[in-house]
Amino acid sequence: MLISSRVKGIQDSITMKLNEKSLLLSEEGKVLYNLSGGQLPIKPSVEFIEKIHHQLNFLKSYQYSPSGGFPALRKKLLSYFSSSRRLPEELFETSSDVIVSNGSKHSIYNALGSLIDPGDEVILLAPYWVSYPEMIKFWGGVPVVVKSNVYDAFVPAIDDIRKSISPSTKVIIVNSPNNPSGVHYSETWMREFALLLQDYPDLIVISDEVYSDLSYFDPKPSYFYQFDHSLLKRTVVVQAISKTLAATGLRLGWVIAPIEITTAMSSIQGQTTSGANSLIQRSLIDFDFSHIEGFLTPVKNHLRMNAEILREKFREANIGHCWYQSTSAFYFMIDFSRTPMFKRFEDSKDYSYLIADELLEKEGIILVPGTDFGIPNTARISLVIEEVPFREAVTKIIKYAHQV
Ligand code: PMP
């Protein structure tokens, strides 16, 4: 009675229950390996911290910013985007704009709110980031899921996407590099996707690119609109500082999109949250984005090394068929339904939560169960932790995967 049906409809992440249990176990003194991390365990670069320090001296850093963000920052983000994606700046002069929000989760939420009417379908490519379905439903939309599997390194087939498009489809969300699979879709995939979009001129794409700088395996990520610039007229590109600058708590994300969409997003923002954090926005205005590459080099070396450890250990333990080459972001998905332990289950239900719970209880391993990502009987392994505990943790996961 008290709480609205809209909010009651939001599904709480089942991962929260696991987190609570982990806390209890660690208080009891159990050694835990936390492989659920979705953020870098390091501070941002010195250059960025210095910029924040400098901005602390100015009154404007503490006052409201314009609803869509400081114009100087928006201009800078647009030109950074066009140069990093090798797109001619003229493409954006009149038709595109940038809107800055309180983290890219907020950007995606406002973009969906600007685009979806009740009953509109939004296509998601599984595995997908946990928050998409709940945000879509919150705005009255209907998530339509296209599946993928470990044999294709969790890359969904273009034909399957085509089959899922209906007259009610309004938006498709593409997240490459992908959370949770840790892969980015190939150039061939992006070219075919661009061709597919030509057949559906009313379809809008939200391209969630928050991990685009975090690819540790060549070739680097590419995007459909690079092969057909006209697609930018119906693309909402999502970016953020959270992952690339190791600054998840500073809450700053942005969107590059056609002006009609950024204006709608700005209306939502103007009457709800107002402009994003002034201090961080102003610090970014004269931050040199070319520093990001150097800052991320050791991070990427670390991710590559842990990805290599997975390959080695899976092969040694004869579960090489569960391995695929992860290439980007912080993650890898293990499919337990292909491991010996799954003989315990005779039906095709989803045991992800039970598996994650047992791993925690028996081995002290914290993983995120695949249910939240739309792929049953899997779990997400984060690659961010140090090499030695990572090796130990993978050995324990493999031991569990062999218990029948
Ligand atoms: N998109 C993806 C794919 C993510 O993994 C995340 C965070 N985990 C976000 C968007 C949101 O990031 P933030 O709000 O911190 O910018």
Side-chain angles (χ1 to χ4, degrees), residues 101-112 129-131 135 208 210 238-240 242 251 253:
S101 303
N102 300 293
S104 64
K105 185 181 255 183
H106 186 217
S107 308
I108 298 166
Y109 179 75
N110 286 353
L112 287 168
W129 181 45
V130 289
S131 297
M135 291 195 203
D208 182 344
V210 298
V238 180
Q239 302 196 312
S242 285
R251 310 310 303 134

Side-chain angles (χ1 to χ4, degrees), residues 295-335:
F295 171 63
L296 289 179
T297 301
V299 171
K300 291 196 267 188
N301 290 342
H302 176 74
L303 295 168
R304 193 182 306 111
M305 179 186 63
N306 278 358
E308 182 60 23
I309 291 171
L310 282 173
R311 187 174 71 98
E312 252 172 50
K313 296 238 174 214
F314 275 43
R315 293 232 166 122
E316 273 167 26
N318 288 326
I319 52 165
H321 57 281
C322 294
W323 180 82
Y324 60 94
Q325 179 65 62
S326 58
T327 56
S328 43
F330 310 145
Y331 318 106
F332 180 90
M333 287 275 273
I334 174 163
D335 183 350

Side-chain angles (χ1 to χ4, degrees), residues 64-83:
Y64 289 128
S65 63
S67 169
F70 285 114
L73 177 62
R74 289 158 65 180
K75 194 162 175 264
K76 176 170 178 156
L77 295 173
L78 198 55
S79 81
Y80 172 60
F81 173 69
S82 63
S83 65

Side-chain angles (χ1 to χ4, degrees), residues 36 73 87 98 270:
S36 70
L73 177 62
L87 298 164
V98 174

Side-chain angles (χ1 to χ4, degrees), residues 125-136:
L125 311 181
Y128 48 72
W129 181 45
V130 289
S131 297
Y132 299 146
E134 297 315 307
M135 291 195 203
I136 294 164

Side-chain angles (χ1 to χ4, degrees), residues 10-250:
I10 298 180
Q11 213 161 23
D12 272 338
S13 165
I14 53 172
T15 314
M16 273 165 57
K17 281 196 215 140
L18 281 174
N19 288 345
E20 279 163 26
K21 189 159 175 180
S22 323
L23 205 65
L24 284 177
L25 288 173
S26 99
E27 277 166 7
E28 285 166 13
K30 188 168 172 84
V31 178
L32 298 181
Y33 296 82
N34 190 348
L35 271 63
S36 70
Q39 58 189 344
L40 290 173
I42 53 170
K43 283 210 295 186
S45 67
V46 178
E47 290 84 358
F48 182 44
I49 293 174
E50 272 171 6
K51 295 288 175 205
I52 299 174
H53 227 257
H54 178 69
Q55 290 300 329
L56 286 171
N57 297 321
F58 297 100
L59 172 65
K60 281 190 175 158
S61 301
Y62 300 89
Q63 298 190 315
Y64 289 128
S65 63
S67 169
F70 285 114
L73 177 62
R74 289 158 65 180
K75 194 162 175 264
K76 176 170 178 156
L77 295 173
L78 198 55
S79 81
Y80 172 60
F81 173 69
S82 63
S83 65
S84 65
R85 298 288 181 271
R86 297 176 305 281
L87 298 164
E89 255 186 72
E90 310 84 75
L91 268 182
F92 303 97
E93 265 162 15
T94 49
S95 55
S96 295
D97 196 9
V98 174
I99 171 162
V100 182
S101 303
N102 300 293
S104 64
K105 185 181 255 183
H106 186 217
S107 308
I108 298 166
Y109 179 75
N110 286 353
L112 287 168
S114 303
L115 295 169
I116 295 178
D117 274 318
D120 284 345
E121 291 178 1
V122 179
I123 295 177
L124 296 179
L125 311 181
Y128 48 72
W129 181 45
V130 289
S131 297
Y132 299 146
E134 297 315 307
M135 291 195 203
I136 294 164
K137 287 188 267 172
F138 197 83
W139 288 110
V142 181
V144 173
V145 176
V146 176
K147 297 266 181 197
S148 66
N149 61 62
V150 62
Y151 295 123
D152 296 324
F154 294 111
V155 177
I158 298 288
D159 272 348
D160 291 342
I161 299 175
R162 188 183 289 278
K163 283 182 207 141
S164 70
I165 299 173
S166 83
S168 306
T169 310
K170 181 78 187 273
V171 178
I172 173 163
I173 304 183
V174 176
N175 171 220
S176 173
N178 181 272
N179 174 9
S181 71
V183 297
H184 54 272
Y185 305 156
S186 68
E187 182 180 321
T188 311
W189 191 97
M190 287 292 174
R191 283 183 187 276
E192 285 175 15
F193 184 63
L195 288 176
L196 169 85
L197 290 171
Q198 286 168 4
D199 294 338
Y200 300 93
D202 296 329
L203 198 57
I204 294 165
V205 189
I206 296 182
S207 181
D208 182 344
E209 302 177 10
V210 298
Y211 293 97
S212 60
D213 291 323
L214 277 151
S215 89
Y216 51 84
F217 207 88
D218 284 340
K220 300 260 170 284
S222 53
Y223 293 96
F224 52 95
Y225 50 75
Q226 291 173 305
F227 309 114
D228 177 354
H229 293 168
S230 73
L231 294 173
L232 282 165
K233 293 201 182 89
R234 48 188 171 115
T235 301
V236 176
V237 176
V238 180
Q239 302 196 312
I241 60 169
S242 285
K243 315 292 172 174
T244 41
L245 281 176
T248 47
L250 298 184

